[in-house]
Amino acid sequence: MIALIQRVREAHVTIDSVRVGRIGPGLVALVAAVPDDTEQTAQRLAERVLAYRIFADEQGRMNHGAIAVGAGVLAVPQFTLAADTRRGNRPGFSRACPPDRAAPLFDTFVAELQQRHAPIETGRFGADMQVGLVNDGPVTFWLESY
């Protein structure tokens, strides 16, 4: 699985003009599944997202993960992260996991987050979502889990 994580001061996701998720300081995790992913891959990615040290310690160095600082996490499914952009001017999506497999993997990812930490908010798989955020830093990392 792939996650693009961003440290944020605040973030929210809206679907059909209804705010369905909102966090204060924390992480936005845009998440995509690829064909070889399994439940274990989803669980491992959730562990990495929560433990990834991108929050400042007392000296201002990135030494703390989301759990250590009590940061919120907004998880948003985003299959376009798995796009093949190597050629041409149009992305290809053959490297993305089909929706019928990707949705349960995203659910497993979220369940693992919720089992380990709170607050966890989410977008909705397959929905047309508007995501608003204030990137802090900016600090953005690409994580993969195999």
Side-chain angles (χ1 to χ4, degrees):
M1 288 186 84
I2 302 165
L4 182 75
I5 61 172
Q6 299 177 299
R7 187 177 70 191
V8 298
R9 294 196 178 192
E10 62 182 87
H12 63 271
V13 63
T14 303
I15 301 171
D16 295 329
S17 301
V18 176
R19 189 157 290 168
V20 297
R22 180 182 193 150
I23 62 167
L27 296 175
V28 170
L30 305 173
V31 180
V34 296
D36 291 340
D37 286 334
T38 64
E39 281 192 6
Q40 291 76 25
T41 309
Q43 292 165 343
R44 174 68 182 125
L45 185 62
E47 291 171 11
R48 290 195 71 205
V49 166
L50 292 174
Y52 213 70
R53 298 185 314 176
I54 66 173
F55 294 97
D57 64 12
E58 298 75 27
Q59 288 78 40
R61 297 175 60 192
M62 287 191 273
N63 265 335
H64 295 301
I67 292 174
V69 300
V73 178
L74 177 60
V76 179
Q78 188 173 345
F79 79 96
T80 60
L81 290 176
D84 182 354
T85 60
R86 295 175 289 181
R87 294 178 294 182
N89 295 320
R90 179 180 294 188
F93 296 104
S94 62
R95 295 180 357 183
C97 194
D100 62 324
R101 285 200 51 243
L105 289 170
F106 179 75
D107 292 344
T108 297
F109 171 79
V110 170
E112 188 71 20
L113 291 175
Q114 291 171 331
Q115 194 171 57
R116 295 172 175 271
H117 185 62
I120 304 296
E121 298 283 333
T122 69
R124 187 178 317 138
F125 195 91
D128 179 16
M129 297 173 280
Q130 290 70 54
V131 179
L133 60 93
V134 177
N135 198 322
D136 183 16
V139 173
T140 303
F141 292 97
W142 178 276
L143 299 179
E144 293 180 82
S145 184
Y146 301 102

